[in-house]
């Protein structure tokens, strides 16, 4: 009469019927106020009203109370149950739920008015993981439902292995679980749960991604190569994963193609290249670890470069290896292989090293660096000269004698003249200029005269004028 919504009354009446144990009548009353959700895959447990019904039924489905005489019998049953539990988990679940009218009633309400997540969560609460998984597959629920309803509860309660065993039992190739497993990996990565991620990737036999996770274990948080020296087992694990992947690829290419849909693929060439990188990183790690242990190393606070980074980081590794040995020659061989393997810009690396040596006032080592570069057999004609020119920006800090030695080590007269001009050694620039072929000499001496004029060096200006 008053036009109020009767839903609340029907719900209260249904709850009263439940409490009185009249399950059939309760169903009829609830059918007038409960509605199935619009989207069965929404990430919640359905309406509050349905949740109240389930909560009440679950709290009522308690084991029947027993008298004192039955205690020992119950203990014996418990012992037997524990013994068989691991063998017949799903049988026990089915039995427990099938033989309890309250649990059956829960399933009726969940299937009629609940979401897939609510049904799956109910199965998980009652140790029926197999039923939860089969329901997920049958309804083709999205991966969020798997994460929320099955995966998180499994690892939080330490049942990840049980989950893995069931996934494999239901589908030995794991193909039907591919979407869910990849989603689980992404979730773990977002949460930074790398140890669980690695465990899951190994279960999935996703060797390429497992190798990537090992790279993170190796590099993450290390502040020195001494620390990396202690983490070398991860490098061995990376190699193992990649080698197993190569074997699997070669085995499957012999037979008809295997459908590794969700596992990360990589060409055999790329895998071999990565194995080579790991070998080289091992060598670099041993060498720099040794340098740090013997106290030779110039340690920096910046992030630690490894060969698993981008090209700039790889160039930093090459610089570090050359600079941190007892002398330039000691680390040059390894650095040279890094430059060759990754086809890096060698002159840029050598120039960086030379600048560092100027900062450290190790001028004789620059000459040793040039000697190594020339003997490497792949240096272009002007590489040595360019290395010297690049570090002359710091000429104000280089003592006169060392500066002269460096410039005299240059091969090309043109480069020597350029270097003398850069360092305001105009008299020396003039002396080399006049030795050139006549037409070129005139151009060079005119240039020296202009520089002398603008810098107020009257002596050199007069000499140039007289020659011209």
């Amino acid at each position: 009469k008053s036009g109020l919504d009767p839903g609340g009354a029907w719900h209260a009446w249904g709850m009263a019927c439940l409490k009185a144990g009249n399950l059939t009548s309760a169903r009829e009353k609830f059918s007038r106020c409960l509605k199935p959700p619009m989207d069965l895959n929404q990430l919640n447990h359905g309406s509050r009203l349905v949740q109240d019904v389930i909560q009440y039924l679950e709290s009522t489905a308690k084991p029947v109370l027993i008298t004192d005489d039955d205690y020992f019998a119950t203990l014996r049953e418990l012992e037997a149950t524990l013994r068989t539990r691991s063998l017949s988990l799903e049988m026990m679940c089915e039995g427990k739920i099938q033989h309890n009218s309250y649990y059956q009633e829960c399933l009726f309400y969940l299937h009629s008015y609940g979401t897939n997540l609510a049904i799956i969560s109910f199965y998980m609460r009652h140790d029926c993981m197999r039923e939860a998984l089969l329901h997920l597959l049958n309804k083709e629920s999205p991966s969020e439902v798997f994460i929320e309803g099955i995966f998180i509860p499994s690892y939080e309660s330490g049942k990840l292995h049980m989950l893995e065993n069931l996934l494999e039992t239901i589908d030995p190739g794991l193909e039907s679980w591919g979407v869910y497993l990849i989603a689980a990996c992404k979730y773990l990565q977002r949460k930074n749960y790398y140890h669980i991620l690695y465990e899951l990737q190994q279960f999935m036999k996703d060797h390429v991604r497992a190798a990537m996770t090992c790279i993170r274990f190796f590099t993450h948080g290390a502040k020195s190569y001494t620390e990396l020296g202690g983490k070398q087992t991860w490098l061995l694990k990376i190699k193992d994963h990649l080698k197993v992947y190569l074997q699997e690829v070669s085995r499957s290419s012999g037979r008809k193609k295997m459908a590794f849909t969700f596992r990360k693929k990589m060409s055999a060439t790329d895998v071999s290249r990565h194995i080579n990188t790991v070998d080289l990183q091992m060598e670099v790690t041993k060498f720099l670890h040794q340098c740090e242990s013997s106290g030779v190393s110039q340690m920096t606070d910046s992030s630690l470069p490894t060969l698993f980074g981008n090209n700039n980081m790889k160039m930093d590794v090459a610089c570090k290896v050359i600079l941190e040995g007892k002398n330039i020659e000691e680390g040059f061989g390894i650095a040279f292989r890094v430059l060759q393997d990754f086809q890096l810009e060698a002159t840029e690396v050598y120039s960086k090293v030379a600048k560092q040596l100027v900062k450290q006032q190790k001028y004789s080592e620059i000459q040793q660096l040039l000697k190594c570069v020339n003997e490497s057999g792949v240096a272009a004609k002007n590489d040595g000269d360019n290395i010297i020119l690049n570090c002359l920006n710091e000429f104000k800090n280089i003592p006169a004698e060392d500066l002269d030695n460096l410039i005299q080590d240059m091969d090309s007269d043109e480069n020597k003249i350029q270097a003398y001009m850069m360092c305001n050694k105009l008299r020396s620039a003039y002396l080399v200029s006049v030795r050139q072929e006549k037409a070129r000499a005139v151009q060079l001496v005119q240039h020296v005269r202009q520089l002398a004029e603008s810098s107020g060096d009257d002596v050199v200006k007069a000499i140039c004028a007289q020659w011209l």
Side-chain angles (χ1 to χ4, degrees), residues 186-203:
K186 284 179 181 167
Y187 166 81
L188 293 170
Q189 206 163 355
R190 277 199 307 278
K191 288 283 191 183
N192 286 336
Y193 295 163
Y194 283 94
H195 288 280
I196 304 176
L197 172 65
Y198 182 51
E199 144 74 31
L200 189 62
Q201 286 166 337
Q202 289 181 93
F203 161 71

Side-chain angles (χ1 to χ4, degrees), residues 425-438:
K425 289 178 166 290
L426 299 180
R427 187 186 175 83
S428 303
Y430 163 78
L431 290 171
V432 183
S433 297
V434 295
R435 296 207 304 265
Q436 306 311 302
E437 180 257 320
K438 187 57 83 35

Side-chain angles (χ1 to χ4, degrees), residues 311 314-316 318-319 322 332 335-354 369-370 372-374 376-380 382-384 386-387 390:
N311 277 359
K314 289 175 181 129
M315 286 159 94
D316 289 346
C319 289
I322 295 175
F332 188 85
F336 183 70
R337 276 179 48 212
V338 170
L339 297 174
Q340 290 289 295
D341 280 11
F342 299 107
Q343 298 176 342
L344 303 173
E345 198 50 65
T347 319
E348 201 180 319
V349 171
Y350 299 144
S351 298
K352 255 185 173 176
V353 171
L369 172 68
L370 295 173
C372 289
V373 170
N374 290 328
S376 68
V378 292
N382 277 336
D383 277 0
N386 289 335
I387 292 164
N390 278 330

Side-chain angles (χ1 to χ4, degrees), residues 61-297:
K62 293 266 187 341
V64 186
L65 285 173
I66 43 181
T67 57
D68 286 355
D69 301 341
D70 286 342
Y71 271 133
F72 290 112
T74 311
L75 280 173
R76 277 196 296 278
E77 277 171 33
L78 179 65
E79 198 180 333
T81 303
L82 287 173
R83 250 202 319 273
T84 56
R85 181 174 186 157
S86 55
L87 300 173
S88 58
L89 184 75
E90 57 272 26
M91 279 164 57
M92 198 184 115
C93 296
E94 284 165 6
K96 174 176 150 187
I97 284 180
Q98 276 167 4
H99 300 144
N100 188 312
S101 56
Y102 281 97
Y103 283 143
Q104 283 303 303
E105 211 57 22
C106 281
L107 285 174
F108 166 77
Y109 286 107
L110 284 169
H111 282 289
S112 306
Y113 310 109
T115 59
N116 284 327
L117 181 60
I119 297 168
I120 284 167
S121 300
F122 172 80
Y123 281 132
M124 290 297 285
R125 275 198 303 280
H126 297 288
D127 290 334
C128 300
M129 197 186 282
R130 183 190 172 85
E131 281 69 20
L133 287 167
L134 291 172
H135 183 83
L136 179 88
L137 265 193
N138 292 337
K139 301 293 176 189
E140 295 179 354
S141 292
S143 46
E144 291 80 7
V145 174
F146 170 72
I147 302 286
E148 201 71 28
I150 299 176
F151 187 69
I152 296 176
S154 293
Y155 77 70
E156 282 183 349
S157 59
K159 290 179 179 168
L160 193 57
H161 280 301
M162 188 195 288
L163 171 63
E164 289 172 351
N165 290 340
L166 279 171
L167 293 176
E168 219 165 16
T169 310
I170 295 168
D171 176 5
L174 300 180
E175 285 304 324
S176 44
W177 304 115
V179 180
Y180 300 118
L181 289 169
I182 293 295
C185 289
K186 284 179 181 167
Y187 166 81
L188 293 170
Q189 206 163 355
R190 277 199 307 278
K191 288 283 191 183
N192 286 336
Y193 295 163
Y194 283 94
H195 288 280
I196 304 176
L197 172 65
Y198 182 51
E199 144 74 31
L200 189 62
Q201 286 166 337
Q202 289 181 93
F203 161 71
M204 291 159 66
K205 298 187 175 55
D206 194 347
H207 295 292
V208 176
R209 286 195 182 95
M212 290 155 103
T213 306
C214 291
I215 290 175
R216 191 197 181 268
F217 284 132
F218 175 70
T219 54
H220 187 69
K223 293 278 182 285
S224 70
Y225 261 89
T226 307
E227 278 181 51
L228 287 184
K231 293 168 122 188
Q232 288 190 76
T233 47
W234 288 114
L235 292 177
L236 295 170
K237 285 185 177 173
I238 299 169
K239 273 183 76 171
D240 289 344
H241 285 300
L242 294 177
K243 281 177 176 171
V244 170
Y245 177 76
L246 272 183
Q247 286 166 0
E248 285 185 358
V249 169
S250 62
R251 267 208 303 273
S252 64
S253 62
R255 304 198 297 268
K256 71 178 176 55
K257 286 274 173 262
M258 285 165 74
F260 283 142
T261 43
F262 63 91
R263 298 176 180 93
K264 191 168 177 64
K265 292 188 178 68
M266 196 179 271
S267 72
T269 328
D270 282 348
V271 175
S272 304
R273 206 161 35 79
H274 286 307
I275 291 174
N276 191 36
T277 302
V278 174
D279 285 333
L280 205 45
Q281 181 61 52
M282 277 180 171
E283 229 173 303
V284 167
T285 307
K286 278 175 193 153
F287 178 75
L288 291 174
H289 180 195
Q290 224 169 342
C291 294
E292 283 179 10
S293 308
S294 60
V296 178
S297 166

